[in-house]
Amino acid sequence: MTTSVTIPTGGELGATASAIPVARVRTRTRWSRRFRPRRVVLTVLAFAIAIAWVFPVYWMLNSSLLPNRTLQSFIPTFLPIGGSLDNYENVLDGGSFFSALGISLSVTLIAVFCCLLFAFLAAVAISRFRFKGRKAFVLAVLIVQMLPAEGLFIAQYKMVSSVGLLNSVIGVSIIYTAAVVPFTVWMLRGFVAGIPADLEEAAMVDGLSRTQAFMRITFPLLAPGLVASGVFAFLQAWNEFTVALVLLPAEQMHTLPLWLRGFIQASATRETDWGQVMAASTLVAVPVIVFFLIVQGRMTSGLVSGAVKG
Amino acid sequence: MTRILADDVATATPAPRASAPARRRLSVPHLLLIPAILILLVGMGYPLVWQIITSTQDFGIQQQFGKPADFVGLQNYITLATDPTMWQVVGRSLLFCFVTAALTLVVGLLLAMLMTAVGRTARLTLQISLLLAWAMPVVAAMTVWIWLFDRRRGVVNYLLDMIPGVDMNRFSWLSNPLTFFIVASIIVIWMSVPFVAFSVYAGLTQVSDEVLEAAQLDGANGAKRLRYIIMPMIRPVIMIVLLLQLIWDLRVFTQITMLQDAGSKASEFDLLGTYIYKLGAGAQDFGMASAVSIFVLALTLAISWFYVRSLLKEDEQS
């Protein structure tokens, strides 16, 4: 999947407020005093780029609040003055949103649960043990993580349909779990390895068995790692489009991304109600944005950790 | 740090069960791996093997209805290699991938350097704005961009039309392949630049001020400091970010599909992903679709090999 990364697919993600790398603000005063005009230009440029970059997100919110009549005008309305939540009401009234939400939730929750469980066990194995075949497994995980959905979805379609799981939550969940497990294993491996085995050792000296030591000492310390990995897996599965498109052709089985795409598809044949489309997009985007901000920093460092180690 | 566990588990558990040697080989870590390996075999392994086999078969619409597929060896690959449409799609995909990845990298680098050059407020504003763009789900981002580039009431045409001498009123971006891919590229760049900018910025903050000051005292001007000190230090980050970008820009199925929904589905608008989809889901030619898929997988693996290798090294160090 975008999993790839696929999920770095699309996909793509990670941590807390610390996310925004707290920059070194040690300005070289002498330097800045000498080149004052240059700094002003750069600051203005930074604000201009910030506005341009966030504009599509703003435009989504703005359009979602405006009535279709206003949007039909050839002169865009840049502020949602006189706006209302009518578009949201209309979108929610159809009921198709809640159906898609239900499908998305079931697929995602199953995938996240299985993924976390399987990946946790595997991460413990590769970071706490040295064994025959370990390297082969790590290599397999890293390679599978790179495989694009585009290169496998025909085969996955054939497999899932041959066992009668087309248009079923189970079929998609299996594929999602498999697609997200590799990155989750990799991410959790880092967390498990970050907890010193000495702690367990000490507990074992005090009389706990190895399993007890792991469950009572290491496991609680892993909670933040499990949350971060879980959120990551959630985002991957929640935003996934390609596999869902192939495995869930029936409209009543559409996940939220497919449901949202339906609005654009319909626009080919009839006039698009952009207010509603933008309200629908906002409904899909807001929970994702919130989750994303939670894990963002970890995402950056996770993907390039090999390189930035200072 | 995994000192105590580094020794083989077999020795740690003095297995009294001497009866079955095969059983003893299945130690704790192997058991822990079983669920992950099973799900990977089912979700990825089996489809991959099926695909490799099918790519050597004549698997068309008749086979969908139960006719046994004939083994045709490399015939599908030969057909592809001699098909001008396939070459156009491959060429277009690679061109799109390289151009988009390169532009993303350049813009991301410039934004990262801008972040280091401005004050706290400006930097935070820029970072928050990039974060919001990064967080947008792909499908939602696509609907917004399609609306922005709308022929008649899109803001882009409206703003461009205000420039004196430019007539962009009702300009249809999505009906010409060139402008179609320019729009696609802009959208992909918009989505991917935040990751590049944050990664490079993180790398830049690792470059120590002391070294830069020393260089300044030795007479290195800004350009020289950038070229001889900053660039070599952040080179590893840039390489990895570029690799990931190349891989991600090969898999732009969602973006292209949605742009085709709003524009045209003609074959001049296809990249590899949509091409495979049309071969498989549309023409039901699974043999050919599998062959193209294998090609895409091989291409991805070739590009990602360096990335995988660097991650493996990291694993060995831990």
Side-chain angles (χ1 to χ4, degrees), chain A residues 74, chain B residues 145-162 165-184 186 262-263 269:
Chain A
F74 287 99
Chain B
W145 277 100
I146 290 169
W147 168 220
L148 285 170
F149 275 103
D150 188 63
R151 196 167 73 87
R152 289 186 296 162
R153 285 179 281 273
V155 181
V156 174
N157 278 354
Y158 172 79
L159 292 177
L160 287 176
D161 204 41
M162 294 212 304
V166 180
D167 180 26
M168 293 298 274
N169 191 15
R170 305 198 177 203
F171 180 78
S172 178
W173 290 88
L174 299 181
S175 45
N176 167 312
L178 181 66
T179 50
F180 178 95
F181 286 110
I182 290 176
V183 170
I186 291 174
F269 299 93

